[in-house]
Amino acid sequence: MTTDRHDGKRVDEATGTETVGHEWDGIEELDTPMPRWWLWTLYLTIVWGVVYVILYPAWPLVDRATAGVLGWTSRGQLAKEMSIADQARTTVREQLVRIPIERLPENSALMQQAVAGGRAAFKVHCSQCHGSGAAGSQTLGYPNLNDDDWLWGGDLKAIHFTLVNGIRQPDRDSTRASDMPPFEGVFDAGQLTALSEHVLSFSGKGRANPVGARIYADNCTICHGPAGEGDRAQGAPRLNDAIWLYGNTREDVARQILRPRMGVMPAWEGRLDPATIKMLAAYVHSLGGGEDFVEVAADPAIEVDERP
Amino acid sequence: MSDPDKPELIEDGVRKTNEPVSSAVAAPEATTRRHEPHEPARTHLPEKLFEARKTVHNRRIDGPFRRFKWFVMLVTLAIYYGTPWIRWDRGPYAPDQAVLVDLANRRFYMFGIEIWPQEFYFVAGLLIMAGVGLFIITSAVGRAWCGYACPQTVWTDLFQHVDRFVDGDRFARQKLDAAPWGPNKIARRALKWTIYLVIGFWTGGAWIMYFADAPTLVHDFWRGEAAPAAYITVAILTLTTVTLGGFMREQVCIYMCPWPRIQTAMMDEKSLLVTYKDWRGEPRGSVKKAERNPGMVGDCIDCTMCVQVCPTGIDIRDGPQIGCITCALCIDACDRVMAEVGRPRGLIDYATLEDCEAEANGAKPRPAWRALLRPRTIAYTLIWGSIGLAMLFALGNRSRTDLSVAPDRNPPFMLMSDGSVRNSYTLSLRNMATRPRPMEVAIEGLPGAVMWSDTMSRAQAARMIRITVPADSTQTMRAYVVAPADTAATSFAFSLTALGEERETDRTETNFDAPQASQ
């Protein structure tokens, strides 16, 4: 029994409910009214939407959005969360400032936190030159910090000193500085080839020769040592190992003799707070090439804190 | 309207009226509820947007299904409220609560079984088993889950008993509903809603016990020292329990629950359903009418008891419908009435559609248990059982030691000053046993290589490092592996051996990167 209605819809016989007027393969949809609570839920969401638009930034305008009466912004919330996070870090930072760097390894919990903090700080302040994995760049002459070759020493204290004072920082007396004189115009081409070959022979890459040996003994031994063992006190690189800051081909070595490149690193004291610098030292030391304390560097500029 | 003082047909099984059965039971208020197919139902469109809910005041009934429902309710509630209080001794390094979801430490304890996050497939397996179990139940006995075991049903039932306890049975409640607000009604409502709140609070309170040591949590909770999450959870669950169980009730089943919409796909003509046997019941008529017209009147005397006892307020005589949760209280009610009027039981009964058809055509009724044994339910049971067996097998054979290796990729390798090549790895050593165990990490392959960790000096580098991993935890360790100069890129393995009473070993292949051979 079908009751046809003026708009083509009909009333379902069994339930007395009007259909919505659609039919799929003989199945019709009843236009059953919503339960009251369902409608109230819908109205509540609408009210909530309006309230939200009034309270919070919501409505996009041409170059900004409505501010909302609560004055909430995501930037403001971020700033607040950051300051809370900073406060949580203050204890660790205070501890770090107080502890002398050479005593840091004794406090393994603090050391771990320092390494973690240093990892983050490294990405921000150091990765531009040394790379995010601290592998440096041979082409550009930024040293690799993962290996076990250190121009100025690789224990925590030496690394910390380098970070604080920088390398070849002008107007800074305590900075690490070494000077490789340029030999351009001093050697002829044959002498240069012989010397490069001899230098490479220290690490087994070239052939030792008397001409090169004589030139080396006259010009290089004073800094690099008779067998190319280098001198950390002066920052003279070892020549008898497998690691070459500016490359290990004959051309690379010859170029470094004629027109030496000498890298520069900023002194971080004054740019970064002492706690961050200690964190960075701990992180760089943790990269796998860090050296144990064998001797406190002979540099008188390094203050040894005797307090426990 | 009906006289509320009029004795009801069945009150504790005693008939209290001398009137003929047919007129006594066909209470006028009940007749208005009943759907009349031939009445021009709704001749014009409902102008209002919504349909007001008709409160269901279901009547008390006793019978085998009601008693089964009581039983299921008691068992499920006892499991829910009691489980967190069962203790289980796991030794000094693990909690002693039998069932514990330790979110903070990401452990799941269930009696003798401890699940780590990476073993979560066991929980997934349990969920699949629960799903397939639901398929078995539904294909065999229809919506038995809905009728007896579903939490919504159990709690609704509980709240309906509260209604009955405070306000009285069906007619008393209807009368109180219609009555104007007065001291009596206010007092009863206040008492009823207080009991609702207490039940809701208990429900929420029991829930949080699963996530922390129950006695400690109860102590902390009342002293105001528990985690905020505990109070928030209890508040939310109190609110939802009271709202869903106390006020929304059958609307949850009809409007909110997806399960009745998909379970029709699980059922077929061989599934047991609560069915009104219309060929036997129609046309409805009183006993007197049946005496006057022998053979012309069906067994249904239209007493509407089946409607009055229904917790979702439906009329089963309209046929199978979404509101029917097959709790079978109407069967209890109808069987009682049939006994009263001296007709055979089973006018409303558990029956399959197939049986109904056969029976309508004069065949003998067949036992209901047959619905349980047929290819479909057997296939589901086999699937269910094989998942269970596979999980038991996996559970019995799982290792309590695990090693995972993550090689550093930035930089992939490092040339050392003596020409040797170094790779770095982050090793995760897992000790899933509930006691600390000494373990050995060793390099397998990669001749000449040695390793050291960031907690030891390079001078101590060796092929094998011994380390004690604390109970039930993962130890992360950085390993620097140095291979002699001219080692080519190759693959090798780390092995982890847990020492102790039973040795367990895990082995993980990884790569060693090296510079390409030059010149």
Side-chain angles (χ1 to χ4, degrees):
Chain A
M1 203 173 78
T2 299
T3 316
D4 281 312
R5 298 184 56 81
H6 62 281
D7 51 2
K9 297 175 183 174
R10 56 180 210 91
V11 171
D12 174 63
E13 178 191 322
T15 59
T17 311
E18 189 175 68
T19 66
V20 294
H22 308 138
E23 188 193 315
W24 298 271
D25 293 339
I27 298 171
E28 287 173 282
E29 187 186 353
L30 297 183
D31 194 5
T32 311
M34 292 294 177
R36 180 161 29 191
W37 60 264
W38 195 97
L39 272 177
W40 275 110
T41 313
L42 175 67
Y43 296 148
L44 274 177
T45 59
I46 294 169
V47 171
W48 168 249
V50 173
V51 170
Y52 190 94
V53 165
I54 293 169
L55 294 183
Y56 287 95
W59 206 260
L61 306 174
V62 177
D63 58 344
R64 67 207 153 82
T66 51
V69 297
L70 288 185
W72 179 93
T73 62
S74 53
R75 278 164 197 270
Q77 186 179 347
L78 176 70
K80 208 162 119 193
E81 282 170 8
M82 291 290 281
S83 79
I84 291 169
D86 277 344
Q87 273 169 11
R89 288 194 206 105
T90 46
T91 14
V92 173
R93 292 189 159 272
E94 278 167 12
Q95 277 180 292
L96 270 173
V97 171
R98 249 182 287 120
I99 198 167
I101 188 77
E102 62 270 23
R103 297 235 177 267
L104 187 55
E106 295 162 18
N107 185 341
S108 66
L110 191 61
M111 182 75 175
Q112 275 177 10
Q113 280 174 309
V115 169
R119 183 176 291 117
F122 189 91
K123 299 270 189 291
V124 178
H125 302 289
C126 315
S127 61
Q128 291 82 351
C129 295
H130 291 285
S132 63
S137 161
Q138 202 165 61
T139 353
L140 298 172
Y142 298 118
N144 185 339
L145 305 176
N146 292 281
D147 62 29
D148 58 346
D149 191 28
W150 299 91
L151 277 171
W152 302 93
D155 61 42
L156 257 181
K157 194 150 193 164
I159 294 170
H160 184 251
F161 186 88
T162 306
L163 274 160
V164 169
N165 296 291
I167 306 282
R168 298 187 185 92
Q169 278 299 287
D171 312 327
R172 198 175 173 94
D173 295 339
S174 53
T175 195
R176 308 254 202 213
S178 60
D179 201 15
M180 164 90 182
F183 288 90
E184 195 159 28
V186 177
F187 306 132
D188 61 37
Q191 288 174 312
L192 185 65
T193 311
L195 178 57
S196 307
E197 193 68 27
H198 187 73
V199 165
L200 282 168
S201 75
F202 293 143
S203 54
K205 281 188 178 294
R207 279 187 303 275
N209 59 84
V211 180
R214 208 187 60 243
I215 300 172
Y216 182 85
D218 291 348
N219 297 283
C220 315
T221 318
I222 190 162
C223 294
H224 291 287
E229 64 270 27
D231 181 4
R232 281 188 179 176
Q234 307 181 58
R238 269 176 76 181
L239 303 176
N240 62 358
D241 64 10
I243 294 167
W244 299 81
L245 184 52
Y246 294 102
N248 62 4
T249 63
R250 281 160 186 77
E251 293 74 41
D252 291 332
V253 174
R255 189 170 57 239
Q256 190 63 10
I257 295 170
L258 292 181
R259 295 179 297 279
R261 291 193 286 163
M262 283 169 287
V264 169
M265 182 173 95
W268 291 97
E269 191 176 47
R271 297 176 185 236
L272 295 177
D273 61 280
T276 307
I277 295 180
K278 280 180 179 164
M279 287 182 183
L280 283 170
Y283 172 66
V284 170
H285 185 266
S286 79
L287 286 170
E291 294 169 349
D292 299 338
F293 283 113
V294 272
E295 86 271 71
V296 170
D299 194 324
I302 304 176
E303 287 175 21
V304 178
D305 198 326
E306 297 295 350
R307 282 177 299 167
Chain B
M1 285 306 293
S2 71
D3 177 1
D5 297 322
K6 189 161 89 178
E8 296 169 41
L9 169 68
I10 295 162
E11 191 68 73
D12 300 320
V14 180
R15 197 192 304 171
K16 293 177 180 168
T17 173
N18 298 323
E19 286 179 67
V21 170
S22 54
S23 60
V25 293
E29 71 78 34
T31 322
T32 52
R33 286 193 61 88
R34 193 168 60 83
H35 165 63
E36 284 288 347
H38 299 297
E39 174 189 325
R42 226 183 263 150
T43 44
H44 58 90
L45 260 181
E47 291 304 319
K48 49 188 184 175
L49 275 170
F50 62 82
E51 191 166 49
R53 179 199 176 212
K54 292 182 202 74
T55 314
V56 177
H57 291 297
N58 67 323
R59 186 186 183 124
R60 200 156 70 97
I61 189 70
D62 190 26
F65 290 107
R66 176 65 255 184
R67 284 193 286 271
F68 180 62
K69 209 166 151 68
W70 274 115
F71 171 75
V72 175
M73 180 178 161
L74 290 176
V75 168
T76 49
L77 287 180
I79 291 173
Y80 177 70
Y81 290 114
T83 306
W85 298 91
I86 306 171
R87 303 287 100 182
W88 194 267
D89 185 17
R90 296 188 181 86
Y93 299 101
D96 64 350
Q97 183 157 321
V99 176
L100 179 66
V101 183
D102 191 352
L103 289 179
N105 300 308
R106 286 176 289 172
R107 297 286 183 276
F108 177 51
Y109 300 95
M110 197 167 175
F111 299 97
I113 302 166
E114 180 188 335
I115 304 278
W116 280 47
Q118 66 267 35
E119 295 175 308
F120 205 72
Y121 51 84
F122 284 118
V123 178
L126 272 183
L127 290 176
I128 294 170
M129 282 181 76
V132 176
L134 210 47
F135 296 171
I136 302 175
I137 299 283
T138 307
S139 64
V141 289
R143 296 177 65 178
W145 166 259
C146 295
Y148 302 99
C150 171
Q152 174 66 22
T153 294
V154 171
W155 264 270
T156 297
D157 205 22
L158 190 62
F159 281 108
Q160 280 170 347
H161 291 307
V162 173
D163 288 358
R164 208 163 282 139
F165 170 72
V166 176
D167 295 344
D169 206 12
R170 177 177 166 86
F171 292 127
R173 294 211 303 278
Q174 281 171 338
K175 196 179 149 195
L176 193 67
D177 253 11
W181 284 90
N184 175 45
K185 186 165 175 175
I186 291 170
R188 280 175 190 278
R189 284 290 138 91
L191 175 64
K192 187 169 81 171
W193 290 340
T194 308
I195 299 176
Y196 280 10
L197 274 175
V198 170
I199 293 175
F201 175 77
W202 257 56
T203 307
W207 179 258
I208 60 171
M209 298 299 152
Y210 286 86
F211 297 87
D213 182 60
T216 317
L217 185 58
V218 170
H219 180 263
D220 291 351
F221 190 89
W222 290 111
R223 288 171 63 101
E225 289 163 1
Y231 296 101
I232 295 167
T233 308
V234 171
I236 291 175
L237 286 182
T238 306
L239 194 73
T240 49
T241 308
V242 170
T243 312
L244 299 180
F247 295 100
M248 298 201 63
R249 296 188 176 174
E250 81 285 352
Q251 303 178 82
V252 175
C253 312
I254 296 173
Y255 296 105
M256 294 163 80
C257 180
W259 180 228
R261 281 160 183 78
I262 48 179
Q263 64 188 333
T264 42
M266 296 290 116
M267 297 192 288
D268 55 20
E269 67 284 351
K270 291 180 187 345
S271 308
L272 275 178
L273 296 174
V274 173
T275 315
Y276 168 66
K277 297 175 178 169
D278 57 349
W279 77 92
R280 193 185 131 188
E282 304 289 327
R284 303 167 195 175
S286 66
V287 177
K288 268 190 180 165
K289 205 170 162 192
E291 278 164 4
R292 283 198 300 272
N293 314 292
M296 300 301 288
V297 176
D299 279 352
C300 177
I301 57 166
D302 215 2
C303 66
T304 72
M305 281 299 286
C306 54
V307 180
Q308 294 183 38
V309 298
C310 179
T312 61
I314 58 149
D315 188 343
I316 190 62
R317 295 169 300 170
D318 289 345
Q321 54 202 283
I322 200 164
C324 177
I325 58 170
T326 69
C327 63
L329 295 187
C330 51
I331 301 181
D332 280 346
C334 192
D335 282 353
R336 247 164 189 260
V337 172
M338 287 299 108
E340 291 275 338
V341 299
R343 287 172 180 167
R345 67 165 297 282
L347 174 58
I348 305 174
D349 205 357
Y350 266 116
T352 68
L353 288 179
E354 205 177 56
D355 289 349
C356 277
E357 215 162 283
E359 235 180 287
N361 295 327
K364 284 215 130 212
R366 297 194 288 178
W369 58 261
R370 281 181 321 98
L372 304 177
L373 288 179
R374 56 201 181 88
R376 190 172 161 139
T377 52
I378 290 166
Y380 281 144
T381 311
L382 285 178
I383 295 170
W384 187 83
S386 43
I387 297 172
L389 284 176
M391 293 225 313
L392 279 179
F393 182 77
L395 208 57
N397 284 288
R398 67 188 176 150
S399 168
R400 302 278 73 194
T401 302
D402 186 61
L403 170 70
S404 61
V405 177
D408 277 12
R409 289 283 171 234
N410 182 20
F413 63 84
M414 192 60 49
L415 201 61
M416 304 307 279
S417 53
D418 60 0
S420 57
V421 186
R422 193 190 80 201
N423 278 206
S424 324
Y425 303 86
T426 304
L427 307 183
S428 295
L429 322 178
R430 268 187 274 281
N431 175 17
M432 302 193 226
T434 51
R435 61 180 188 282
R437 283 195 293 179
M439 295 195 179
E440 284 175 359
V441 189
I443 298 173
E444 288 185 0
L446 205 63
V450 289
M451 66 172 160
W452 75 97
S453 78
D454 53 1
T455 53
M456 56 195 272
S457 162
R458 196 190 161 173
Q460 299 166 279
R463 295 279 294 177
M464 186 267 282
I465 295 176
R466 192 170 284 197
I467 187 169
T468 298
V469 184
D472 193 50
S473 58
T474 302
Q475 181 104 337
T476 309
M477 172 185 134
R478 259 177 85 75
Y480 304 105
V481 175
V482 174
D486 302 328
T487 301
T490 177
S491 68
F492 74 108
F494 283 103
S495 75
L496 178 70
T497 309
L499 311 170
E501 303 90 276
E502 74 257 40
R503 288 170 75 89
E504 278 186 324
T505 299
D506 195 29
R507 186 176 185 279
T508 304
E509 286 269 334
T510 187
N511 288 321
F512 189 85
D513 274 313
Q516 288 189 322
S518 53
Q519 284 101 37

